[in-house]
Amino acid sequence: MKQKALALSIISFVCLGLLSGCSKKATEEEAKAETPAAVVTVTKAERQDIEETVTAQGTFQSAQGAATKLAPQTAGRLVRVLVKEGDQVTAGQILATLDTRVLAAQTRSAEAGYRASTATASQAQLAARAAASDQQSSVRVAQLAIDAALVERDGAIQAAKTSLNLAKTDLAKTLAGARPQEILQAQDALRQAEATRTRAAKEVERQTFLQEKGVSAKRQVEDAQTALAVAEASVESASQTLELLRAGARQEDREAGQLRVRQAEEVLSQARKTGEAKLTQAQAQLRQAQKQTLAVAAKVQEAKAAQSGAGKAAADVEAARTQSDYATLRAPLSGVVVRRLLNPGDMADPAGTVLEIANSRQLDILATLPADDALRVHAGQRAHLSSGEMARVINIGSVDPQTNLVTLRLQTGSSKSVRAGAFILVKVVIRVASQAIVVPRECVLNHEGKSVVFVASGEVAKMTPVTTGVETDTAVEIRSGLAAGARVITLGQYELSDGAKIKVEAP
């Protein structure tokens, strides 16, 4: 009885609890239903390229080869300085001059010495050419005689050799007789002729038989007999040809061939003796003409010595003129005079600067980066400038052990609107994530140490954990957790919780 009462008490208590829970849940849903929807704006997560960058501070400096310090190559007093600071100059323009009176006198003296040396060299060359011309004529005549003797000797010897070779070839053919191949060909021809005769004889028998039976005409029998006669003649001719080839050459033919060979050998020997005699005579004439070479060589050496003297005098003139040219300072490049350090009357020397010139349109950017960031930078990478222009990395320096910084040199497309020394913010692009899912930076929140975004799903905000990648000032790459095209909340997300009611408002 007591157990039954206890069971009824427990059931009553559970029923009261269930009724209380249902009442509380209904109260929460009513309260939630009464909470007004948060007004938000959304945007779609889109696929696009996003760049990872490193930032560096830089200054504009003259590009390599775009600035110069102008100094004379020889010491002297300045007579004129034709430009002042701020003047525009062009390459080759005269900017300043030194006193050139001493240099001009030295130039005139060198020119006079050059003219005298040139006259002496001309006379020596004429004498050498006259002697050389006479000697060359004698040598040329003797050489022509040698050439004629060589041509005549070689022609006669070659003709004799040709005749001897022909005679030897004819004799060899005569002595050798018919070749085995020729005999085999003759045997084959005889066998073919005999076979043809056999076929012709059978054809005569066949046609005769047919005529006797009244099937063939007499004309066909006669044609067969004619073919047999022709075949027998061919057999006879092939047989005689074979016999002639087997018999070989006659004795008188052999003797005649040997006689022709001996005659050709005698002609060859005589051609050699006669040619050598004429060649020896022509060579003696050439040696006689060549004995005059020493006299000609002496005159040629005199002419060369005189020419060398003239060359030295010419070099002296060139040196004097070059020294005079050094007294005129010309702009090596186009640009602006940024400094003028000396004035007319001052002494100038190679160790001191007279003018400084820079091309303000050719400026590079020198920027510094921490060594760790510089490891990710290499020549050729693009960079964004805070001025809105683009630049390109052209050189990466070494690490400064004092500051642990690396200096980059970047080249810009145009520098018309800035001056050397101006500061600029540089963002070097070290990586590009192609066609990544990208959302505005303000969409990504930190929730309990994790990155999340709120996605508008109908009239409810869903908190979605994401993995981020490349980040810029305005956008973030979403590597996982979000699909392209998702409606991400961009305004009002800070007051939201997962499952909160929202009202999407047009941006």
Side-chain angles (χ1 to χ4, degrees):
M1 195 70 175
K2 289 182 179 179
Q3 292 179 349
K4 186 175 181 181
L6 180 62
L8 291 173
S9 299
I10 292 172
I11 292 172
S12 300
F13 180 75
V14 171
C15 290
L16 289 173
L18 290 174
L19 291 172
S20 176
C22 290
S23 175
K24 184 178 180 181
K25 185 175 181 181
T27 303
E28 289 179 353
E29 289 178 353
E30 290 174 359
K32 190 174 182 180
E34 293 174 358
T35 302
V39 178
V40 298
T41 59
V42 299
T43 186
K44 287 186 178 181
E46 297 181 348
R47 287 194 177 275
Q48 57 182 273
D49 295 345
I50 185 169
E51 298 174 337
E52 183 178 0
T53 62
V54 291
T55 303
Q57 289 283 349
T59 57
F60 284 96
Q61 302 290 338
S62 295
Q64 299 177 84
T68 184
K69 295 180 179 180
L70 199 61
Q73 296 192 31
T74 182
R77 189 175 299 280
L78 279 171
V79 177
R80 294 184 301 166
V81 180
L82 304 175
V83 293
K84 59 184 181 296
E85 292 180 359
D87 286 351
Q88 289 280 349
V89 297
T90 57
Q93 178 180 339
I94 296 175
L95 306 181
T97 58
L98 303 178
D99 188 353
T100 60
R101 287 175 295 178
V102 175
L103 297 175
Q106 292 174 351
T107 301
R108 290 193 295 271
S109 176
E111 289 173 345
Y114 172 69
R115 287 192 293 271
S117 298
T118 302
T120 302
S122 297
Q123 292 176 356
Q125 286 178 351
L126 289 174
R129 281 199 294 268
S133 178
D134 293 341
Q135 191 262 347
Q136 288 173 359
S137 297
S138 300
V139 171
R140 192 178 300 112
V141 171
Q143 189 65 55
L144 290 174
I146 290 176
D147 293 342
L150 286 172
V151 170
E152 184 178 353
R153 183 198 65 180
D154 294 344
I157 290 174
Q158 187 61 39
K161 285 182 178 179
T162 302
S163 300
L164 177 59
N165 290 335
L166 290 174
K168 287 182 177 179
T169 301
D170 291 341
L171 177 60
K173 289 174 62 177
T174 301
L175 294 176
R179 289 174 292 182
Q181 295 87 343
E182 293 176 337
I183 293 175
L184 290 175
Q185 289 178 352
Q187 290 173 344
D188 290 340
L190 177 59
R191 284 194 293 270
Q192 290 176 2
E194 290 174 344
T196 302
R197 181 183 63 184
T198 300
R199 287 195 300 271
K202 290 181 179 181
E203 181 65 18
V204 169
E205 292 177 0
R206 191 175 71 85
Q207 292 295 335
T208 302
F209 176 77
L210 293 175
Q211 184 186 20
E212 292 175 354
K213 297 296 182 179
V215 177
S216 176
K218 182 179 180 180
R219 179 176 180 80
Q220 292 176 328
V221 175
E222 293 175 350
D223 290 342
Q225 291 173 345
T226 301
L228 177 61
V230 172
E232 289 177 345
S234 298
V235 169
E236 182 64 23
S237 175
S239 177
Q240 291 178 0
T241 300
L242 178 61
E243 291 299 325
L244 287 174
L245 291 175
R246 287 173 173 171
R250 293 176 296 180
Q251 180 62 31
E252 54 270 26
D253 292 338
R254 297 190 186 96
E255 293 176 353
Q258 292 171 350
L259 179 60
R260 287 194 294 271
V261 170
R262 287 195 295 273
Q263 289 176 346
E265 290 173 344
E266 292 177 358
V267 170
L268 176 59
S269 177
Q270 186 61 35
R272 285 174 174 166
K273 291 178 181 179
T274 303
E276 290 298 329
K278 291 183 178 180
L279 179 60
T280 300
Q281 183 180 1
Q283 289 173 341
Q285 294 176 354
L286 177 61
R287 286 193 295 273
Q288 183 64 31
Q290 289 174 339
K291 289 181 180 180
Q292 303 173 7
T293 303
L294 294 177
V296 173
K299 291 191 175 292
V300 170
Q301 289 299 325
E302 292 176 1
K304 287 183 177 179
Q307 188 64 35
S308 297
K312 181 180 180 304
D316 293 341
V317 171
E318 184 65 25
R321 289 175 178 172
T322 301
Q323 288 292 331
S324 296
D325 289 341
Y326 286 162
T328 301
L329 302 185
R330 298 177 181 273
L333 52 85
S334 298
V336 178
V337 178
V338 295
R339 292 189 68 189
R340 170 173 159 172
L341 290 87
L342 297 179
N343 296 304
D346 292 339
M347 285 298 296
D349 59 72
T353 301
V354 179
L355 298 166
E356 290 185 13
I357 301 171
N359 188 342
S360 60
R361 294 187 178 183
Q362 296 181 11
L363 298 178
D364 288 346
I365 297 173
L366 295 182
T368 55
L369 274 177
D372 293 340
D373 288 342
L375 291 175
R376 308 174 67 189
V377 178
H378 57 79
Q381 286 179 327
R382 297 179 298 111
H384 298 279
L385 305 181
S386 55
S387 61
E389 299 177 347
M390 295 295 294
R392 187 172 297 276
V393 178
I394 60 175
N395 183 56
I396 304 171
S398 56
V399 179
D400 185 343
Q402 301 294 329
T403 62
N404 198 39
L405 296 177
V406 176
T407 300
L408 311 179
R409 181 178 287 272
L410 299 96
Q411 187 178 58
T412 61
S414 175
S415 309
K416 296 180 180 179
S417 59
V418 296
R419 292 183 178 275
F423 286 93
I424 191 76
L425 187 65
V426 178
K427 292 187 177 181
V428 182
V429 180
I430 59 174
R431 187 173 71 88
V432 178
S434 300
Q435 291 300 297
I437 298 175
V438 178
V439 299
R441 188 181 184 90
E442 60 269 17
C443 294
V444 182
L445 306 178
N446 187 302
H447 180 73
E448 297 179 353
K450 296 181 179 180
S451 297
V452 299
V453 296
F454 280 93
V455 178
S457 177
E459 296 181 354
V460 177
K462 297 292 185 180
M463 185 171 64
T464 305
V466 294
T467 303
T468 61
V470 177
E471 296 185 13
T472 69
D473 294 338
T474 59
V476 177
E477 174 194 6
I478 303 300
R479 292 184 176 177
S480 64
L482 192 67
R487 300 168 68 228
V488 185
I489 297 174
T490 60
L491 182 62
Q493 67 272 32
Y494 291 98
E495 292 79 18
L496 297 177
S497 60
D498 188 22
K501 295 175 62 179
I502 58 173
K503 179 182 180 182
V504 178
E505 189 178 61

